[in-house]
Amino acid sequence: MLQQVNGHSSGSDAHGGESLREDLQEFLGGEAPLHQLDDLTKVNPVTLETVLRCLQARYTADTFYTNAGCTLVALNPFKPIPQLYSPELMQEYHAAPQPQKLKPHIFTVGEQTYRSVKSLIEPVNQSVVVSGESGAGKTWTSRCLMKFYAVVAASPTSWENHKIAERIEQRILNSNPVMEAFGNACTLRNNNSSRFGKFIQLQLNRAQQMTGAAVQTYLLEKTRVACQASSERNFHIFYQICKGASADERLQWHLPEGAAFSWLPNPERTLEEDCFEVTREAMLLLGIDAPTQNNIFQALAGLLHLGNTRFADSEDEAQPCPLMDGAECSVRTSASLLRLPEDPLLETLRIRTIRAGRRQQVFRKPCSRAECDTRRDCLAKLVYARLFDWLVSVINSSICADPDSWTTFIGLLDVYGFESFPTNSLEQLCINYANEKLQQHFVAHYLRAQQEEYTAEGLEWSTVSYQDNQTCLDLIEGSPISICSLINEECRLNRPSSAAQLQTRIESSLAGSPCLGHSKLSREPSFIVVHYAGSVRYHTAGLVEKNKDPIPPELTRLLQQSQDPLLKVLFPADPEEKSQEEPSGQSRAPVLTVVSKFKASLEQLLQVLHSTTPHYIRCIKPNSQGRAQMFHQEEVLSQLEACGLVETIHISAAGFPIRVSHRNFLERYELLRRLCPGAAASPHGPPPDEGRSEWSPHSEQATLQALLQDILHTLPALARAPAEATPAPVHCGRTKVFMTDSTLELLERGRAQVLEQCARCIQGGWRRHRGRKQERQRRAAVLIQAAVRSWLTRKHIQRLHAAATVIKRAWQEWRIRMAFLASEELDGVEEQHSSQVTCSPSSFPLPQAQTRLLGAVTRFWPLGLVLANAAVGACGFRRKLVVFACLPLPVGSLSSYTVQTAQEQAGVTSIRALPQVSRVTGWPSCQDGSRSLTPHRGGQGAEPRGHSRSRTGAVRRAS
């Protein structure tokens, strides 16, 4: 049922609801074009009803994401849709030149934040604030965004860097199941409700690659360990170890099947989050080894057995409370699992130690049954809270990068949604207080700041009224008196506090606040706070005790005695801490309450958000039953009205989301003046430095305005439309330029065009320079090659000349030697022949013709030998004539003689073998009676019968 918020009805009356349903049915009859509207700013008119109808039409068409100006509205589909979050779709949005042109998606927000980090104008840190009610899908949205950043921001070049990035990505993703197992639980509204807030800082280096991450948590609901509301469950990890442990582990942890534990309600329900193996594998990948995991699960099993420890009322106040039947076994098992001594454990739970007096005397007082239960619960909460903080530190040490290795970050805020249960206590007050702060941050950052900035810059702007929750924040945290201050004051007073007294103080001290409600029909002490999302009743019973969060020092000392390795790490023995546990009453420090610590951490978180550029995702829950294809109009309408979505749409549709200072605008877009020849010919430049003393701020502002106007005059040219037909999507304020996304896209397209022209000019000049350089290099190479070839040719000719000289000298020496040897041999033969002729008395003189021929042969033998065997010179008929001329033969017909040369034979081997004259005739003769001269063939040719070898050619006369 809808509540009345801030004095105006949200449509809960029957008549209004009936008319709304009638209008809705009439409107949805033509919903075919309605589900195609990707942005709610296009809905006309922009009212709660029209926005509701558009969202319902898109939800019916399985379209769950819709833009609402600067905000993304995400409807929980309550069913798995794998193709909507596939890695291929992530890459599509990452690779798209304009992801905002694609369908609305959480990947669009992720890509916008990722590109804004590496923006060339002002690279600033980004943050994504995911808000909504419990069960609206905030945890799933944050998980998908982490997967998206892990995919798109881990793209290194080398294989080694790829392995490092892949390991970081896996560790970041594996931190989700671990933190959800230990920090999420099943509530009335959500099966996987986050019972803590977390701010995940994804760290990027200068190359926009993810190098690590850091997790910061806020206000773990540790009371859930020992106290669960009806139909709700404890943290997921308890059900995982009870359902997923093996037989040996059950035996080791004393968790038999079917065992009942008072702190484990509704164990029969089976959820998707009860997967024990996923948690164990994720812990292993985070560096938590199997023995450490065993210690963790053993301690958790010890807490479950501790919850079965029941106390009975004591008949004597001086005696401690006895245990109920079966509790002794639980105490023994719990002490065994926690590695604690059984007797000191039982004594610490039932007896309180008090130090009093100047000498700090110790008194031991037995506790009542309620106090024993409180101390037991405090022990369990203390162990679980320390364990959760230790897990967060282990995760941070595993995934956090070195401070010098990253420069920017993307923050991802996932906090508990607005809660309103039948019984609301301090946990719900802190959760709703955090949601109020985030809503106020949204209002301050976008709604109020944007309108105030428009007015300060002199833009024509009609103020849009919006719902401001500053009054509610003043009621909760205001000064000097607020709900938080009154609760803290009750904690500091050394007196017992009653619930009725606290209610009376709050109602009397804050009676003038319009956000404080009264309930006269309630039987229990309580007060009502009208939040931006609705009215919530808070019960004052136990509020002060929860705010104190007292930890008896004897519990800490008991846990320091544990022999368990994990508990030794969680509770180290610190002497300084021991000395400061119980200071005297005179020097007691102010109590640091839960509200004070949560407020300080929340302020620190808001400071981080204010230093970043925020992006908002509003998660809407279509129905409270968690069913698919079910759209409850009243529930969605109350969420739209509570989160101020309509005011957001109004301002986003009429406003200018892009704001750039004059200086930054000129630095980035001054080159667009190249598109206007007139503006480029007469530039309005800032004055030189030397004239700075005479330069006034008024003239500087005038110059900047002139430059801005020159740049803005290029918009019609960029839009390719006449100036009078171009709208004015940009306004020049006093210090900033305001424009829409379409104008920014137009300017970026023109800037890219100018840069492309400049790049082409640079490329042309470079190519011209490179061509000239290459031509000079080619000419130089040709000259070098010509010189080298000339040098090589000269060297070759010199070598040939030297070789020819050597050959020539050797030939001349050989020729002279041969001539000399021939002449000596011939002279010796003639002398021997003459002596033989004259000395043989028996020889008879030859005929005259033969004597003359023999003399010619003897006389011209060297000349004929040379002419007959020369490789060059006379050839053919001329050679024959030379032979006939050298050898004067008998006169007759030349045809009766044949000339045979030794040109093709082995050559002259020796000139000593001269023809020998027969003793009878004095002429070598053949068998057939013909006379011949046969040349010698180096010992290989055939010899004439009865004749010696010859070294020249032979002249044979035909018979």
Side-chain angles (χ1 to χ4, degrees):
M1 184 175 181
L2 299 180
Q3 304 291 336
Q4 187 171 354
V5 181
N6 287 357
H8 62 278
S9 175
S10 58
S12 60
D13 54 284
H15 179 71
E18 187 67 26
S19 61
L20 175 61
R21 279 188 289 272
E22 293 177 359
D23 294 341
L24 184 61
Q25 293 296 331
E26 181 181 356
F27 186 80
L28 293 179
E31 69 175 15
L34 190 62
H35 71 275
Q36 299 177 2
L37 297 178
D38 293 340
D39 200 325
L40 294 179
T41 58
K42 300 177 182 178
V43 178
N44 192 18
V46 182
T47 60
L48 278 175
E49 289 76 13
T50 54
V51 169
L52 175 67
R53 294 168 185 172
C54 180
L55 291 177
Q56 183 173 6
R58 292 176 65 82
Y59 187 77
T60 306
D62 285 345
T63 305
F64 307 106
Y65 296 105
T66 308
N67 289 326
C70 69
T71 308
L72 178 68
V73 179
L75 295 172
N76 194 340
F78 290 118
K79 62 180 180 180
I81 310 176
Q83 67 275 11
L84 195 60
Y85 309 99
S86 62
E88 293 77 15
L89 191 63
M90 296 181 187
Q91 292 293 344
E92 180 181 354
Y93 276 85
H94 178 57
Q98 297 177 357
Q100 64 272 14
K101 295 296 183 67
L102 301 178
K103 293 182 179 180
H105 202 284
I106 55 175
F107 297 158
T108 307
V109 179
E111 184 62 24
Q112 288 177 354
T113 57
Y114 182 69
R115 295 189 181 185
S116 298
V117 168
K118 60 179 182 180
S119 173
L120 296 179
I121 299 179
E122 292 181 9
V124 295
N125 299 323
Q126 307 290 311
S127 61
V128 180
V129 181
V130 184
S131 60
E133 290 190 2
S134 179
K138 300 185 300 299
T139 302
W140 174 260
T141 301
S142 302
R143 189 189 307 170
C144 292
L145 283 175
M146 289 184 64
K147 290 182 179 180
F148 176 79
Y149 290 127
V151 170
V152 303
S155 55
T157 54
S158 64
W159 174 254
E160 181 180 358
N161 292 336
H162 176 72
K163 299 298 291 184
I164 295 175
E166 188 178 16
R167 184 173 67 253
I168 294 173
E169 171 190 350
Q170 288 298 325
R171 288 184 176 180
I172 293 174
L173 296 181
N174 286 324
S175 65
N176 274 332
V178 175
M179 300 193 70
E180 289 181 10
F182 286 85
N184 291 19
C186 176
T187 61
L188 294 175
R189 294 189 174 186
N190 186 8
N191 291 338
N192 191 29
S193 177
S194 297
R195 309 318 301 162
F196 69 102
K198 62 180 177 181
F199 181 73
I200 304 175
Q201 190 182 72
L202 304 176
Q203 300 160 349
L204 306 175
N205 58 12
R206 296 185 182 274
Q208 284 74 48
Q209 297 174 359
M210 189 182 301
T211 60
V215 181
Q216 186 176 0
T217 59
Y218 304 94
L219 191 64
L220 173 69
E221 190 188 13
K222 57 184 179 182
T223 56
R224 183 170 291 271
V225 177
C227 181
Q228 304 84 28
S230 177
S231 300
E232 292 190 354
R233 300 203 320 173
N234 208 327
F235 291 104
H236 293 321
I237 188 62
F238 291 104
Y239 298 90
Q240 291 181 4
I241 62 176
C242 290
K243 296 180 180 181
S246 62
D248 295 338
E249 291 172 341
R250 289 180 182 275
L251 185 62
Q252 180 183 359
W253 301 335
H254 299 277
L255 297 175
E257 294 186 5
F261 297 98
S262 59
W263 287 352
L264 204 67
N266 304 314
E268 68 281 353
R269 296 184 58 181
T270 302
L271 302 179
E272 182 183 356
E273 291 76 17
D274 294 341
C275 187
F276 189 39
E277 292 300 326
V278 174
T279 304
R280 300 187 71 166
E281 183 179 359
M283 295 174 69
L284 189 63
L285 293 176
L286 287 174
I288 305 175
D289 53 10
T292 307
Q293 292 184 28
N294 184 73
N295 293 334
I296 293 174
F297 303 139
Q298 180 176 327
L300 295 177
L303 295 184
L304 289 178
H305 286 281
L306 182 65
N308 286 347
T309 304
R310 300 289 181 177
F311 298 94
D313 292 328
S314 177
E315 297 179 357
D316 187 2
E317 294 182 357
Q319 298 296 326
C321 295
L323 294 175
M324 298 183 66
D325 296 338
E328 294 181 0
C329 181
S330 299
V331 173
R332 187 180 306 109
T333 305
S334 177
S336 174
L337 292 173
L338 295 176
R339 307 285 295 276
L340 293 172
E342 180 181 352
D343 294 337
L345 172 61
L346 192 58
E347 180 181 351
T348 304
L349 295 179
R350 297 190 298 180
I351 299 177
R352 182 175 56 177
T353 303
I354 302 175
R355 294 178 181 269
R358 296 181 178 180
R359 297 182 180 180
Q360 293 293 306
Q361 296 180 354
V362 178
F363 299 94
R364 297 166 58 87
K365 179 183 178 182
C367 299
S368 63
R369 177 183 177 183
E371 291 175 344
C372 290
D373 292 339
T374 302
R375 294 170 74 86
R376 177 202 60 200
D377 296 347
C378 183
L379 178 63
K381 292 186 294 183
L382 178 61
V383 173
Y384 195 84
R386 291 282 185 96
L387 176 60
F388 185 81
D389 293 339
W390 178 80
L391 283 174
V392 173
S393 64
V394 170
I395 292 174
N396 284 331
S397 63
S398 177
I399 65 178
C400 189
D402 186 70
D404 298 333
S405 63
W406 59 277
T407 56
T408 55
F409 69 86
I410 298 176
L412 197 59
L413 179 61
D414 176 19
V415 295
Y416 9 60
F418 184 82
E419 292 184 351
S420 178
F421 299 119
T423 301
N424 302 286
S425 186
L426 183 67
E427 294 83 9
Q428 282 69 40
L429 178 62
C430 293
I431 288 173
N432 294 337
Y433 167 51
N435 281 272
E436 288 284 352
K437 292 290 288 186
L438 292 176
Q439 176 68 14
Q440 196 248 4
H441 173 264
F442 173 74
V443 170
H445 173 77
Y446 192 76
L447 300 179
R448 182 173 62 234
Q450 193 171 31
Q451 296 194 64
E452 293 177 354
E453 187 176 18
Y454 292 164
T455 303
E457 291 288 336
L459 273 68
E460 297 180 0
W461 177 259
S462 58
T463 303
V464 178
S465 59
Y466 55 86
Q467 178 183 349
D468 194 357
N469 64 336
Q470 185 60 44
T471 306
C472 183
L473 284 175
D474 293 338
L475 172 66
I476 298 175
E477 64 169 5
S479 180
I481 300 177
S482 62
I483 294 177
C484 292
S485 65
L486 292 176
I487 296 177
N488 288 335
E489 184 178 351
E490 287 291 329
C491 294
R492 287 191 294 268
L493 295 177
N494 190 12
R495 66 179 185 183
S497 176
S498 64
Q501 186 179 0
L502 179 61
Q503 176 190 4
T504 302
R505 289 198 63 188
I506 291 176
E507 291 179 351
S508 60
S509 302
L510 303 172
S513 176
C515 294
L516 182 64
H518 306 277
S519 178
K520 299 180 180 179
L521 301 178
S522 178
R523 298 179 179 178
E524 299 179 356
S526 61
F527 60 92
I528 298 176
V529 177
V530 182
H531 294 281
Y532 75 96
S535 300
V536 180
R537 181 192 306 275
Y538 298 99
H539 292 80
T540 57
L543 202 64
V544 176
E545 291 298 323
K546 288 183 178 180
N547 190 35
K548 288 181 180 179
D549 193 19
I551 300 177
E554 51 267 25
L555 292 181
T556 304
R557 288 194 295 267
L558 172 68
L559 291 172
Q560 288 175 351
Q561 300 175 9
S562 174
Q563 300 302 318
D564 185 75
L566 178 63
L567 293 181
K568 285 185 177 181
V569 176
L570 299 181
F571 299 93
D574 189 358
E576 297 181 0
E577 180 182 352
K578 183 177 181 180
S579 63
Q580 295 177 2
E581 281 177 354
E582 298 177 3
S584 62
Q586 300 294 334
S587 60
R588 182 174 298 173
V591 179
L592 188 59
T593 62
V594 173
V595 172
S596 301
K597 292 187 290 186
F598 182 71
K599 183 179 179 181
S601 62
L602 194 59
E603 290 295 336
Q604 183 181 3
L605 172 64
L606 290 175
Q607 289 180 2
V608 175
L609 292 180
H610 282 300
S611 65
T612 63
T613 301
H615 304 262
Y616 300 95
I617 299 179
R618 296 286 192 182
C619 297
I620 302 296
K621 184 168 61 174
N623 59 82
S624 58
Q625 289 78 20
R627 297 179 182 178
Q629 295 296 328
M630 181 182 292
F631 193 90
H632 287 176
Q633 304 165 9
E634 290 80 5
E635 293 183 12
V636 176
L637 191 61
S638 63
Q639 296 177 62
L640 294 179
E641 187 177 33
C643 66
L645 192 61
V646 177
E647 290 83 358
T648 304
I649 296 171
H650 274 302
I651 297 179
S652 299
F656 306 95
I658 308 300
R659 299 176 294 274
V660 184
S661 64
H662 289 172
R663 287 291 183 183
N664 292 335
F665 187 85
L666 288 177
E667 289 178 2
R668 186 166 182 84
Y669 301 113
E670 188 176 4
L671 48 84
L672 293 179
R673 299 172 65 240
R674 295 172 177 265
L675 299 176
C676 293
S682 59
H684 303 277
D689 294 339
E690 57 270 11
R692 182 68 62 183
S693 59
E694 300 178 359
W695 184 253
S696 63
H698 179 72
S699 58
E700 181 180 3
Q701 185 67 23
T703 304
L704 290 176
Q705 291 291 338
L707 290 173
L708 291 173
Q709 293 301 325
D710 290 343
I711 297 174
L712 297 180
H713 287 162
T714 62
L715 289 177
L718 295 175
R720 298 178 182 178
E724 58 275 4
T726 303
V730 58
H731 289 277
C732 185
R734 294 186 177 93
T735 61
K736 296 181 180 180
V737 177
F738 298 82
M739 51 187 161
T740 60
D741 290 327
S742 59
T743 306
L744 180 63
E745 179 184 348
L746 193 64
L747 290 172
E748 288 293 328
R749 187 166 63 243
R751 183 175 180 272
Q753 178 182 354
V754 175
L755 289 177
E756 183 180 359
Q757 295 176 357
C758 296
R760 289 179 179 177
C761 293
I762 295 173
Q763 290 175 356
W766 167 249
R767 291 192 184 100
R768 183 166 54 253
H769 167 72
R770 186 178 59 180
R772 293 175 179 175
K773 182 178 180 180
Q774 290 177 352
E775 179 64 22
R776 291 194 299 268
Q777 292 177 350
R778 189 187 65 82
R779 292 179 181 178
V782 169
L783 293 177
I784 294 173
Q785 291 174 359
V788 171
R789 290 193 184 99
S790 176
W791 180 79
L792 292 175
T793 304
R794 286 196 302 271
K795 298 295 290 182
H796 181 64
I797 292 176
Q798 290 176 1
R799 287 195 298 270
L800 291 180
H801 277 294
T805 303
V806 173
I807 295 173
K808 182 178 179 181
R809 186 183 300 111
W811 162 251
Q812 290 176 354
E813 292 177 356
W814 180 82
R815 186 180 59 178
I816 294 173
R817 187 181 299 110
M818 291 299 103
F820 176 74
L821 292 176
S823 61
E824 283 186 351
E825 290 183 1
L826 290 178
D827 293 342
V829 170
E830 289 179 355
E831 291 178 0
Q832 183 181 2
H833 180 69
S834 302
S835 62
Q836 288 180 359
V837 172
T838 54
C839 295
S840 354
S842 61
S843 62
F844 52 88
L846 295 175
Q848 184 178 0
Q850 293 182 0
T851 302
R852 189 173 53 254
L853 180 58
L854 183 59
V857 172
T858 301
R859 194 168 49 251
F860 294 104
W861 184 266
L863 181 59
L865 178 63
V866 173
L867 291 176
N869 293 277
V872 293
C875 60
F877 181 70
R878 295 178 60 186
R879 180 182 295 275
K880 294 179 181 181
L881 291 179
V882 172
V883 172
F884 290 147
C886 293
L887 301 175
L889 301 176
V891 180
S893 176
L894 295 177
S895 61
S896 61
Y897 298 94
T898 60
V899 179
Q900 296 179 358
T901 65
Q903 193 70 22
E904 299 176 359
Q905 299 174 4
V908 178
T909 59
S910 176
I911 62 173
R912 295 179 180 274
L914 296 176
Q916 298 180 2
V917 181
S918 177
R919 293 182 179 182
V920 180
T921 61
W923 189 264
S925 61
C926 297
Q927 187 177 0
D928 55 357
S930 63
R931 300 170 182 174
S932 64
L933 292 174
T934 304
H936 176 58
R937 301 191 180 186
Q940 298 178 1
E943 296 182 3
R945 290 184 302 271
H947 299 283
S948 63
R949 299 186 181 104
S950 175
R951 297 294 179 185
T952 83
V955 180
R956 183 178 297 174
R957 185 179 61 182
S959 56

